[in-house]
Amino acid sequence: MKELITAVREARTRDVPALLSELDRTERRSALAELKALRKEARSWPWEKQDRLRKALLVAGAGCHTGAAGCAAWIGGRDLQVWSRPPYSMLLDVLSNRDREWLGDVAHRLADRPATAETLYELITRLVKASQCAVPTTDGFVRGWADALSASQWQQNRRPLADALRTDPYLTVLVPRLFEVAELPSSTLWFDEPDDPSRWHVALALLADEGLLERASLVDACVARLIRGGKPGELRFFLALLRQLVLTREEEAERVADWTAMAADGISTVAGHAQEVLARLDEHGELYVRSLVDVSGSLLFRPEKKLVRAQLVLIGKKLRRDPSAAGELLPVVAEAFGHADIDIQERALKLVARHLPTVDAAVREETALSTSLLGPALRTAAAEVFGDLMDGPSAVEPYMELLPCAPVPRRVEPTPATLPELVEELVVLARTASRDATAFERALDGLVRHARTDRPALTEALQDALAGSWWLVDESQSRVEQRLRSEAGITLVLAVLLGRVPMQAVQEGRAAWAGSSVCVHAALKGVMKARLWEAADAVLTGSAPFLLALPTWHTGSIDPAVLVERLRTYQQLEVRPGEADFAQALLRARRGGQEAAAAAEAAAGLGTPEGDRLAAWLRIDRPLATVHRFDLDRQESTARGWVERQPADWTRRALMASEENPLIQQEFPRSFHWLGSAHTPRHRTCDHWNDHSDSWIATLPEDGETLAAWLLPAIATCVTDEMKDVAQPLLGLVELDGPAAEAIHLAVGYALGARYPEDRLSGVDALLTLAAQQRLDATLLGEQLAILLGHRLVKLNRLADSARTAAATGAYRTVLSVLTPVLPGLLADKKATARGLSDLLSVAAECAEHCGAVGGAEPIPGLAEAAARGGSSQLVRQAARLKAAWEQGSGRT
């Protein structure tokens, strides 16, 4: 037995099977106990040493287990998985003396484990073959089977997949399960080449034609999955297979209800296919009017204009062939009067007008009721169609702009007063990925307070509450220290309190320079780390009664009078504030106004160095750093040349520069010095582009404009690099006090033109929030958008989508005020894409129809010329529409 344990420790995997064969049942049980201890011990070893041990430990432990459940759990252990090829042959060798039923039990137990069924597919199939048991059908095993087949075909130069499936013993059992698994195998999602024989949808359809698979079952399964819905990629696979099966007209006619369901609720590609099938059925007279009414009621309200237009065309063809159907179809068409797109409204109105004379009075009256849904531009045309059936003219109600409620500053709740409350909040922060800056600050202050009053009780309570955390049980102290040095969260302080990080490391952390010259993200993280090391020292020594930097408002700001009183308490207790804590408190103190002036007088009266520094800080009537537009090539501030000119293979970006603040360099701790340095835009985006935290915004709550300028390179990647979820900091920036000038408005402009809807929605929320706060400079934002568009940094269709979303909330005047400075340059730019510009003109026209003209009612330069070009293009039509609405709203004829 000792030889076995030695061989495992030395990672001599090849020797393990022979050594196991010499052990009896009792000796294997004893060896298993030592192997379990070795496995636990290895968790604290360096990764490289663990990896060498895994294979030997895996084979030895499997051979020593006598129960199938224990053996499966050992083989499937995550910490025993190896990166190189697993030792399957040796595993089967050490298990070869077990009976078939036992081996089958292990196989099925491994297949039942979601974490191992897919990765251990090869081992499971070998065990199934050795035991001759039934093949497992779990989701993970099915995915492993499919991916293994595809991999083998690629290794054979993309040999037709059908060749492998024909001889596969699991074909008829596992193929039906492909339509039932919660997540499809990744290999089935490769259907970019419709006729590639190595693709699953081609192979399955071929086997159905040969009779090896039941074709009707495949069709039913595809239809069921398409109706059920799911991930777009998976639905596209089932749709590709359904198309490959080439349904007959009879098969399509049997499933009218299914096509109707897909058209109503399916993703765009699925709905489009269902619509095509219904159109074919209608051409052959196999689609009843009632069915067409049912599907149209849902399709005409879908956001995809292509689908809606196609459905109106289908209804038009139906009415030409069968005019008697108008009584049922026209009321449904009239419901499209409420569609968000005015082109759809106009098409629906024309279709109704063409067939309205053929219906009776009751249908005309019913259809006329929907005219109230039409936009103002189509009311006159509707009156010509419906005449007296429309409601009589009513007094025009004065326009009222609808904006969200402006964010109201919220007071931060006091730090948890009792130990159980504090422990509960600390556990939540330590075990979740919460980015709530307020919760973090309260918990950190609570740690400092309770550690000073009763550290033993706090330590005992946290030891029990955090039991099981990786840094308490699974790692050595040196490993914990190494990993937590890069952390910037509450776990660092907790580990120090519970003895997992030595005092020497705390002192080194405090002495080290946590700042960085790389980017604002690293700098703000360095500020946080400096504060954490300082708080960790205070927790151990009890040197601080509380934290000066605890915010009083949810944005991170501190009332200056409250900070004065905190300094007064420190003075009475004869305690010197921590450098990082006091520096952070200064950055959070509200400056400007009578409140700050009164607090400055009170701070000066304390007679302490910190009181004098606070008084001087509160009297400074300027931002942390002045920001301005910057031309990187000229290395100077310019009026308009603020687009970063980069090499040909780099995307240009519009950025801001900031000036030096000597006070930060001279009086603040070293970890804060980046904040006082001068910064200019760089060609290269930092590696933290998608790294954001509420605590970073709370670091500079009184300098939102400065922080926005520093965050611009990361926010700009939502456009320049088409990154996702990088505009989230905007929502916190616009809630901060202080002016919203060029940097914040430029950040909003980038977000409005972002690649992904999530970031565009952040831009819309920020725009509406600024408007609700009466801090929006619509002309400034419009001018910046014009520059971004002029340099091809923002695409028109994305900006139009954001503008439409904002206008839909009722903020028509706000949106039109922003678009008005944008349109002249676009109308004069012959390179502007007609489609994108027509979309933007459509949004502007809709806004003008609701709120009238803005900006002194002066004509929009270039609009009249665009409207007079002639023709029926959308650009000309929308320009004429905007011109008419603008003139009507400004009182001109």
Side-chain angles (χ1 to χ4, degrees):
M1 184 179 71
K2 291 182 179 180
E3 291 82 357
L4 174 65
I5 303 302
T6 301
V8 172
R9 280 190 174 275
E10 295 176 357
R12 292 187 282 114
T13 308
R14 295 185 180 276
D15 297 340
V16 170
L19 294 172
L20 274 173
S21 64
E22 299 174 0
L23 303 181
D24 57 25
R25 187 181 184 91
T26 302
E27 290 173 324
R28 292 193 182 199
R29 187 179 296 111
S30 300
L32 182 60
E34 292 198 32
L35 290 172
K36 288 180 178 179
L38 178 58
R39 178 182 180 182
K40 184 176 181 180
E41 177 188 342
R43 289 171 182 163
S44 62
W45 292 359
W47 181 87
E48 299 81 1
K49 188 176 179 182
Q50 288 186 47
D51 191 55
R52 290 195 298 271
L53 176 75
R54 284 192 181 108
K55 284 188 179 181
L57 195 58
L58 176 65
V59 175
C64 288
H65 272 90
T66 56
C71 183
W74 184 273
I75 295 174
R78 184 171 297 179
D79 58 328
L80 294 180
Q81 302 307 307
V82 296
W83 292 103
S84 57
R85 179 170 175 77
Y88 292 143
S89 297
M90 282 184 276
L91 279 172
L92 291 169
D93 186 14
V94 299
L95 298 179
S96 60
N97 60 341
R98 313 300 172 90
D99 59 57
R100 291 181 177 178
E101 183 178 353
W102 191 92
L103 292 175
D105 191 7
V106 172
H108 278 266
R109 288 180 183 275
L110 288 174
D112 288 339
R113 295 168 62 93
T116 59
E118 190 171 352
T119 57
L120 296 180
Y121 165 77
E122 183 179 342
L123 175 63
I124 296 172
T125 54
R126 291 192 184 188
L127 290 171
V128 169
K129 184 177 181 180
S131 65
Q132 299 182 4
C133 65
V135 60
T137 58
T138 61
D139 285 11
F141 185 81
V142 172
R143 286 193 294 271
W145 168 75
D147 288 342
L149 276 174
S150 295
S152 67
Q153 298 312 110
W154 277 88
Q155 292 171 1
Q156 300 178 39
N157 297 321
R158 296 178 71 172
R159 176 185 170 213
L161 182 60
D163 293 350
L165 286 171
R166 287 190 190 95
T167 59
D168 191 275
Y170 307 146
L171 175 68
T172 57
V173 178
L174 297 185
V175 165
R177 286 285 295 127
L178 283 174
F179 300 87
E180 300 169 355
V181 294
E183 183 178 353
L184 277 177
S186 59
S187 58
T188 62
L189 304 182
W190 303 336
F191 46 84
D192 51 312
E193 301 177 37
D195 301 320
D196 188 341
S198 67
R199 303 308 189 193
W200 273 88
H201 65 285
V202 176
L204 293 179
L206 180 59
L207 295 180
D209 291 340
E210 295 174 0
L212 295 177
L213 293 173
E214 188 177 349
R215 184 176 181 281
S217 297
L218 291 181
V219 173
D220 290 339
C222 285
V223 170
R225 281 301 296 260
L226 291 173
I227 293 175
R228 191 175 82 186
K231 296 179 180 179
E234 296 183 351
L235 295 178
R236 282 193 280 270
F237 164 73
F238 294 115
L239 180 59
L241 175 56
L242 188 65
R243 284 173 170 161
Q244 199 74 27
L245 291 169
V246 190
L247 272 64
T248 64
R249 189 190 306 171
E250 291 74 17
E251 288 174 322
E252 290 180 341
E254 291 172 357
R255 295 176 169 82
V256 171
D258 296 332
W259 308 129
T260 300
M262 291 182 206
D265 301 318
I267 62 172
S268 180
T269 51
V270 173
H273 175 76
Q275 191 180 51
E276 292 172 3
V277 174
L278 291 171
R280 285 197 298 269
L281 293 175
D282 182 61
E283 289 178 0
H284 295 93
E286 296 177 345
L287 182 66
Y288 295 112
V289 175
R290 187 68 255 170
S291 298
L292 184 56
V293 169
D294 290 341
V295 70
S296 299
S298 302
L299 256 174
L300 292 178
F301 279 95
R302 289 189 65 114
E304 301 95 336
K305 291 183 285 187
K306 180 179 179 181
L307 293 177
V308 178
R309 286 194 294 266
Q311 193 64 18
L312 290 174
V313 171
L314 175 58
I315 294 174
K317 291 180 179 180
K318 182 72 171 181
L319 289 173
R320 284 195 295 272
R321 288 194 301 267
D322 183 10
S324 64
E328 292 184 77
L329 288 172
L330 289 191
V332 177
V333 175
E335 292 181 8
F337 293 169
H339 197 277
D341 185 74
I342 191 171
D343 180 57
I344 299 297
Q345 296 179 20
E346 187 176 7
R347 287 171 180 261
L349 180 60
K350 289 180 178 180
L351 183 58
V352 169
R354 189 178 304 123
H355 298 278
L356 193 65
T358 66
V359 300
D360 57 32
V363 175
R364 287 198 295 270
E365 291 178 2
E366 180 184 356
T367 307
L369 294 176
S370 299
T371 57
S372 60
L373 303 174
L374 290 168
L378 295 176
R379 295 285 173 80
T380 302
E384 296 176 358
V385 174
F386 291 96
D388 296 338
L389 294 177
M390 285 185 63
D391 294 334
S394 57
V396 178
E397 296 182 0
Y399 172 74
M400 179 177 294
E401 184 85 345
L402 297 179
L403 293 172
C405 295
V408 178
R410 302 185 303 274
R411 282 276 183 184
V412 174
E413 296 180 4
T415 299
T418 66
L419 186 58
E421 291 176 320
L422 173 62
V423 169
E424 181 179 356
E425 293 196 13
L426 287 169
V427 170
V428 171
L429 284 173
R431 291 185 171 172
T432 65
S434 173
R435 294 181 174 179
D436 188 337
T438 299
F440 167 81
E441 294 290 347
R442 293 174 68 250
L444 186 63
D445 181 60
L447 268 177
V448 172
R449 289 175 183 267
H450 284 270
R452 180 180 173 92
T453 56
D454 195 351
R455 183 154 64 96
L458 175 62
T459 303
E460 182 179 358
L462 288 173
Q463 194 81 43
D464 295 336
L466 295 172
S469 300
W470 67 268
W471 47 275
L472 275 177
V473 296
D474 291 340
E475 299 282 359
S476 64
Q477 189 181 68
S478 59
R479 181 66 172 167
V480 171
E481 177 191 342
Q482 179 183 358
R483 291 180 60 180
L484 288 182
R485 280 186 178 274
S486 61
E487 292 280 339
I490 200 74
T491 303
L492 174 62
V493 184
L494 292 172
V496 170
L497 176 64
L498 298 184
R500 299 295 289 160
V501 176
M503 185 64 182
Q504 180 182 355
V506 176
Q507 299 302 327
E508 291 174 355
R510 288 199 65 185
W513 180 28
S516 172
S517 60
V518 177
C519 62
V520 65
H521 309 92
L524 294 177
K525 186 176 181 179
V527 169
M528 177 59 71
K529 288 175 68 175
R531 293 183 59 211
L532 288 170
W533 284 119
E534 189 174 88
D537 182 70
V539 163
L540 288 181
T541 62
S543 58
F546 51 80
L547 294 181
L548 294 172
L550 176 67
T552 55
W553 299 98
H554 82 283
T555 58
S557 295
I558 300 177
D559 283 336
V562 172
L563 183 53
V564 172
E565 291 306 313
R566 290 175 183 173
L567 287 176
R568 194 185 308 278
T569 303
Y570 265 67
Q571 181 185 32
Q572 294 169 352
L573 295 174
E574 298 182 354
V575 175
R576 288 296 303 274
E579 290 185 352
D581 182 33
F582 181 56
Q584 177 63 90
L586 288 179
L587 294 176
R588 288 176 171 170
R590 285 187 165 176
R591 307 190 298 274
Q594 296 182 354
E595 182 183 5
E601 293 297 328
L606 292 177
T608 63
E610 290 76 20
D612 294 340
R613 284 183 60 192
L614 175 58
W617 180 261
L618 294 176
R619 290 171 178 147
I620 297 176
D621 188 19
R622 54 187 170 86
L624 175 67
T626 302
V627 299
H628 52 81
R629 301 175 181 180
F630 194 84
D631 188 308
L632 191 67
D633 283 352
R634 298 180 183 178
Q635 295 293 304
E636 61 182 7
S637 177
T638 65
R640 288 288 184 183
W642 55 303
V643 173
E644 181 184 344
R645 292 180 174 86
Q646 301 184 12
D649 57 340
W650 287 83
T651 302
R652 295 174 298 175
R653 292 172 293 159
L655 302 175
M656 309 286 289
S658 64
E659 297 178 0
E660 183 182 18
N661 186 338
L663 182 63
I664 301 295
Q665 300 283 334
Q666 297 166 5
E667 298 187 6
F668 277 61
R670 193 179 178 194
S671 296
F672 289 73
H673 286 185
W674 191 97
L675 307 179
S677 303
H679 300 290
T680 58
R682 297 185 177 187
H683 287 308
R684 183 179 179 182
T685 304
C686 71
D687 296 331
H688 311 90
W689 55 267
N690 198 25
D691 200 358
H692 45 79
S693 170
D694 289 348
S695 64
W696 294 357
I697 294 178
T699 302
L700 300 173
E702 295 300 302
D703 294 280
E705 182 70 7
T706 301
L707 185 56
W710 289 339
L711 292 175
L712 264 177
I715 294 176
T717 58
C718 70
V719 170
T720 59
D721 301 281
E722 298 194 339
M723 298 299 185
K724 191 175 184 179
D725 292 332
V726 295
Q728 289 186 16
L730 262 182
L731 304 180
L733 283 171
V734 296
E735 286 194 34
L736 301 180
D737 292 330
E742 288 185 283
I744 288 180
H745 282 73
L746 177 56
V748 174
Y750 270 119
L752 291 175
R755 162 65 175 84
Y756 290 98
E758 297 89 339
D759 289 308
R760 293 201 294 272
L761 190 58
S762 294
V764 170
D765 289 342
L767 167 68
L768 297 178
T769 299
L770 288 173
Q773 297 170 327
Q774 298 183 348
R775 296 199 301 155
L776 176 68
D777 187 334
T779 301
L780 173 61
L781 178 57
E783 290 174 351
Q784 291 179 329
L785 283 170
I787 293 174
L788 295 177
L789 289 165
H791 287 278
R792 305 295 187 264
L793 291 168
V794 167
K795 293 184 178 181
L796 274 172
N797 61 325
R798 295 172 184 172
L799 176 59
D801 178 76
S802 295
R804 185 177 294 107
T805 302
T809 67
Y812 296 104
R813 181 168 293 155
T814 297
V815 174
L816 186 58
S817 298
V818 172
L819 294 183
T820 300
V822 176
L823 292 174
L826 293 174
L827 292 169
D829 185 3
K830 295 181 179 180
K831 294 182 180 180
T833 58
R835 180 180 176 184
L837 181 52
S838 65
D839 288 343
L840 205 62
L841 287 170
S842 175
V843 178
E846 181 181 0
C847 293
E849 289 165 358
H850 283 85
C851 70
V854 297
E858 293 299 323
I860 298 176
L863 182 62
E865 291 80 357
R869 290 178 187 175
S872 59
S873 69
Q874 280 295 313
L875 177 59
V876 174
R877 294 175 62 194
Q878 297 303 333
R881 176 189 168 199
L882 174 57
K883 179 176 178 291
W886 189 273
E887 291 177 349
Q888 182 180 2
S890 61
R892 292 191 298 272
T893 59

